[in-house]
């Protein structure tokens, strides 16, 4: 098969088994020291000051959007070519998705496409990294700053690439992602302490 979590984890099985045994023996399965340590290491990996684990990458997007406290008629720009969570998370947060076209060579959204989709009700952008390729965060951040918009970078498919200052950086640990879990999980990274609590 194209993807096999068993094959992917073969070389790590003993280390995973030892970690699982320690966790099982601790009895601290929810929000325990293991989660705190993971969040701390993830903050170092992403380059953000704070990370918070959550149930999925979709939930990370929803929580990031809700933390912004936007009015209900707000529009959020997101790429038309992406996993359904990019648009559905906006709906779940009670906001309005606006789909922006993507570059035909890369499959990712650029400032030109965001400019074309911009309206007076636009309040935020979800820029999606795709297949390990990162959006031009600096250019999109400049666009957001010029239009007074929040920026959420969906890094579900780009864990480990350099990050340069979105308001939120969201991650997925679905088994097929760059760092896959046993089951589903996600995380939010930010430099703002008020959004990490």
């Amino acid at each position: 098969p194209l993807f096999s979590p068993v094959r992917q984890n073969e070389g790590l099985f003993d280390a995973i088994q030892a970690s699982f045994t320690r966790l099982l023996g601790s009895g601290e399965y929810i929000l325990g020291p293991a989660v705190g340590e993971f969040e701390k290491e993830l903050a170092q990996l992403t380059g953000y000051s704070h990370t918070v684990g959550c149930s999925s990458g979709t939930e990370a997007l929803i929580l990031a959007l809700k933390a912004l406290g936007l009015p209900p008629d707000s529009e959020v720009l997101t790429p038309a070519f992406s996993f359904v969570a990019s648009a559905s998370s906006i709906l779940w947060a009670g906001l309005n998705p606006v789909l922006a076209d993507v570059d035909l060579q890369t499959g990712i959204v650029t400032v030109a496409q965001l400019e074309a989709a911009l309206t007076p009700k636009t309040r935020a952008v979800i820029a999606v990294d795709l297949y390990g390729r990162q959006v031009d965060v600096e250019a999109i951040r400049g666009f957001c700053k010029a239009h007074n918009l929040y920026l959420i970078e969906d890094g579900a498919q780009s864990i480990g690439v350099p990050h340069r200052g979105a308001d939120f950086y969201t991650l997925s640990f679905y088994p097929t992602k760059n760092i896959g879990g046993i089951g589903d999980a996600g995380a939010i990274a930010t430099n703002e302490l008020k959004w990490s609590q």
Side-chain angles (χ1 to χ4, degrees):
L2 180 63
F3 173 77
S4 169
V6 174
R7 184 180 68 226
Q8 176 180 303
N9 293 323
E10 277 177 346
L12 302 169
F13 185 81
D14 290 342
I16 292 170
Q17 185 67 45
S19 292
F20 183 73
T21 300
R22 278 194 305 277
L23 181 63
L24 190 62
S26 75
E28 298 178 292
Y29 310 138
I30 299 172
L31 301 177
V35 173
E37 186 59 33
F38 178 73
E39 290 171 340
K40 182 179 173 184
E41 289 180 19
L42 190 58
Q44 291 172 344
L45 174 69
T46 62
Y48 283 88
S49 303
H50 313 282
T51 60
V52 178
C54 58
S55 63
S56 68
T58 303
E59 188 68 20
L61 288 169
I62 294 168
L63 292 171
L65 287 164
K66 286 189 171 190
L68 297 176
L70 300 173
D73 65 340
S74 298
E75 294 179 350
V76 179
L77 305 181
T78 194
F81 182 59
S82 181
F83 183 63
V84 68
S86 302
S88 67
S89 63
I90 299 167
L91 291 169
W92 275 103
L95 306 169
N96 300 309
V98 174
L99 302 180
D101 240 334
V102 296
D103 180 83
L104 293 177
Q105 298 300 312
T106 64
I108 57 177
V109 74
T110 67
V111 168
Q113 284 106 7
L114 293 171
E115 284 277 9
L118 186 68
T119 78
K121 291 187 176 183
T122 304
R123 297 291 176 267
V125 171
I126 295 177
V128 181
D129 301 337
L130 201 57
Y131 308 126
R133 180 173 280 153
Q134 186 180 30
V135 296
D136 186 342
V137 178
E138 290 182 15
I140 294 175
R141 186 179 58 210
F143 164 80
C144 289
K145 192 170 188 176
H147 296 283
N148 198 27
L149 307 175
Y150 292 105
L151 174 58
I152 298 169
E153 181 182 358
D154 179 344
Q157 294 188 15
S158 67
I159 299 169
V161 300
H163 299 286
R164 296 181 294 276
D167 294 296
F168 289 102
Y169 174 61
T170 63
L171 298 167
S172 170
F173 304 114
Y174 190 78
T176 59
K177 300 298 189 221
N178 304 46
I179 300 176
I182 300 172
D184 209 349
I188 306 166
T190 183
N191 287 321
E192 291 289 337
L193 180 62
K194 65 180 179 181
W195 287 332
S196 69
Q197 299 177 346

